[in-house]
Amino acid sequence: AVATVQRAEELMPPSREAWAGSYRLEEAARVHVRVGNLEEALDRLEYLLTHISKFTPAFIRLDPEWEPLRSHPRYREVLERSREIRR
């Protein structure tokens, strides 16, 4: 699963196609959470939250799939940084 989403990110990065690329990053973040690669998931969420996408801190807080990230020390920092950028 990880190799597949990494390949998808290579084929359709946000720099090539912002909207479709953001969906590839979301898929990759979800896979990384499921397999326990929390830093990798946070890297992708940070990008999504700080660039144009459907993601907002509220969306991340409400979606139960991101629950494993909530106890990670970097989780709150990523959400705060995105709030500052979106102001």
Side-chain angles (χ1 to χ4, degrees):
V2 171
T4 300
V5 295
Q6 286 175 335
R7 182 68 176 139
E9 286 178 287
E10 292 169 8
L11 293 171
M12 186 61 65
S15 60
R16 180 171 172 212
E17 169 51 61
W19 193 252
S22 71
Y23 280 100
R24 299 302 75 80
L25 287 181
E26 176 189 1
E27 292 165 352
R30 290 180 187 278
V31 167
H32 284 294
V33 166
R34 290 176 190 147
V35 299
N37 297 340
L38 302 184
E39 283 292 332
E40 291 291 325
L42 284 165
D43 288 344
R44 283 146 182 87
L45 285 180
E46 184 169 22
Y47 182 93
L48 290 167
L49 288 167
T50 58
H51 290 76
I52 296 172
S53 74
K54 70 176 185 176
F55 286 89
T56 64
F59 179 83
I60 301 301
R61 280 194 309 274
L62 294 172
D63 188 335
E65 185 138 17
W66 307 115
E67 183 64 36
L69 294 176
R70 294 191 179 119
S71 62
H72 192 284
R74 201 171 136 216
Y75 172 78
R76 187 166 285 162
E77 177 186 317
V78 167
L79 293 182
E80 286 299 319
R81 186 174 310 131
S82 71
R83 278 193 211 107
E84 292 172 12
I85 290 171
R86 290 177 181 258
R87 287 182 194 176

